[in-house]
Amino acid sequence: MTQPEAMAGGGQYNEHSTAQLSAAARALPLLRSAAAVVPPTSGGSLTVADYGCSEGRNSLAPMRAAIEEMRRVHSTDAPISVVHTDLPTNDFSSLFATVADDPGTYAGPAVYTSAVGRSFYRQILPPRSVSLGWSSIALHWLSAAAGPLDGMWYTDGTQSQRERWARRAGDDWARFLDARGRELLTSGRLVIVVGSADAAGNSGAETVMTTLKRVADDMTGTGRLPTTSLTPIPAWYRTAAEWHAPFPHAAFTLDHFEEVVLGDPIAEQNVEGDRGQYARDVAEAIRVSFGPSLLAAIPHEDRAAIEHELFTERLTDAINQDTTVGFDWRLAIMMLSRRDAVGE
């Protein structure tokens, strides 16, 4: 089945992921509280794992906050390792350049940056090596598409299709927790902020995704897109019940869970109320996040032109023309504690 593609590289995701940055900020107080109590390894070092880093700009403030708290509690020269993880196809060159050069970097004395290109649905780091885990706006991605879908967005599916995708989402969430349970130190913490769904299963992006499907269908009708060229986006936004389903869990206690209505950060950032600029910003946000997976089956030599027409031209124009199209995102924010490993 189709696996998710990495986010758009070359600095594009860094530039057009301001909504994700707003989401991460909502969980920083919880991350600070977790960082203040996590244990070091027996050698006195601390490791922070960033699960789903993309190009890194949105990881800078969280890693900086975690390091500040660790420095406050532990020795100021204690070694701190920051390990960023993402898919093997991620643009790690942009990640390392961002950590090195961005004015908001967390880099400093006795802070060591590394990265691993591997899916977080598998164990990534050695057993009992991680003090603090962080994952921001990443767990809506599935390990792979769960099967055919009547459309491109998970809410487009038939009842039987959605049930199959829901099972994959449940299995992936359990696999993520099991893998982190092997990696975290006893009493370590895992802080997660992720897009969530309302009780009906809607993410808050449905008007945008419906508009995207309509303009893609128009391109298909005019021969600009082959009929079977678009790949269903392998994402699932879980409800509160789905997030709670694995608990009680053998490795973790769920210490904190809250749902936050994020709304539309892109609209909030558009202080002048310029609908045209808003439309461009939304289309670019969708392009850099979901475009690589949606267009994965299109030959590389054709992809750039189709991507430009689909997102930069047609989706932008459609959003500009219809003021009912926009986001109403919601978040799930969680903190988990690694249980005592005795008896495992």
Side-chain angles (χ1 to χ4, degrees):
M1 291 298 175
T2 304
Q3 297 182 341
E5 296 285 325
M7 305 296 98
Q12 297 175 78
Y13 187 80
N14 276 349
E15 181 179 358
H16 298 293
S17 59
T18 56
Q20 292 88 331
L21 183 64
S22 296
R26 299 295 187 100
L28 291 186
L30 195 65
L31 180 65
R32 285 184 175 275
S33 68
V37 299
V38 296
T41 66
S42 58
S45 63
L46 298 116
T47 294
V48 185
D50 175 23
Y51 298 107
C53 62
S54 189
E55 294 187 310
R57 186 177 74 102
N58 293 346
S59 295
L60 298 182
M63 296 302 99
R64 191 170 62 248
I67 291 167
E68 288 172 356
E69 286 300 312
M70 290 174 169
R71 292 280 184 243
R72 185 178 64 82
V73 174
H74 300 278
S75 169
T76 56
D77 59 357
I80 298 177
S81 176
V82 177
V83 184
H84 299 283
T85 81
D86 214 303
L87 296 173
T89 52
N90 183 59
D91 184 359
F92 288 107
S93 294
S94 287
L95 166 72
F96 286 118
T98 298
V99 173
D101 301 330
D102 193 284
T105 185
Y106 62 79
V111 176
Y112 303 93
T113 299
S114 61
V116 179
R118 195 175 192 184
S119 168
F120 55 38
Y121 291 118
R122 303 167 62 188
Q123 185 173 344
I124 296 174
L125 297 170
R128 305 293 179 267
S129 65
V130 176
S131 305
L132 175 64
W134 164 259
S135 183
S136 178
I137 315 301
L139 269 166
H140 60 286
W141 288 106
L142 300 177
S143 59
L149 198 63
D150 287 1
M152 62 179 66
W153 192 237
Y154 74 99
T155 55
D156 295 333
T158 65
Q159 182 66 28
S160 62
Q161 288 172 345
R162 291 188 64 169
E163 288 173 356
R164 185 174 181 179
W165 280 58
R167 287 194 296 271
R168 170 60 61 87
D171 290 345
D172 279 351
W173 177 216
R175 289 170 61 198
F176 178 88
L177 292 175
D178 291 344
R180 305 295 79 77
R182 292 189 288 272
E183 295 170 351
L184 263 74
L185 292 159
T186 299
S187 300
R189 299 291 192 274
L190 177 60
V191 178
I192 298 168
V193 54
V194 60
S196 193
D198 62 19
N202 294 315
S203 68
E206 279 67 38
T207 61
V208 176
M209 302 310 286
T210 297
T211 303
L212 176 59
K213 184 178 186 302
R214 176 170 58 80
V215 298
D217 288 344
D218 290 344
M219 288 179 65
T220 300
T222 59
R224 289 291 299 131
L225 273 174
T227 304
T228 60
S229 62
L230 296 183
T231 303
I233 296 166
W236 183 271
Y237 287 71
R238 299 170 182 88
T239 65
E242 288 174 303
W243 289 121
H244 280 90
F247 299 97
H249 189 274
F252 290 106
T253 58
L254 181 59
D255 299 330
H256 178 93
F257 180 91
E258 64 176 309
E259 288 190 298
V260 174
V261 176
L262 185 65
D264 193 339
I266 294 177
E268 293 171 5
Q269 294 157 8
N270 185 8
V271 293
E272 296 182 358
D274 183 338
R275 184 68 188 182
Q277 184 61 53
Y278 172 79
R280 288 189 290 274
D281 291 343
V282 170
E284 286 298 286
I286 293 295
R287 181 184 67 82
V288 301
S289 297
F290 300 117
S293 289
L294 184 66
L295 304 181
I298 294 175
H300 182 77
E301 60 270 19
D302 299 330
R303 197 174 303 173
I306 289 175
E307 179 184 72
H308 181 82
E309 181 176 348
L310 178 60
F311 294 101
T312 307
E313 295 179 356
R314 291 181 181 246
L315 181 60
T316 298
D317 183 64
I319 295 172
N320 188 34
Q321 297 299 322
D322 187 350
T323 59
T324 67
V325 177
F327 292 132
D328 189 17
W329 295 112
R330 60 196 302 121
L331 305 173
I333 299 176
M334 294 168 266
M335 183 171 71
L336 293 74
S337 296
R338 181 64 175 86
R339 292 179 182 270
D340 191 331
V342 173
E344 291 188 357

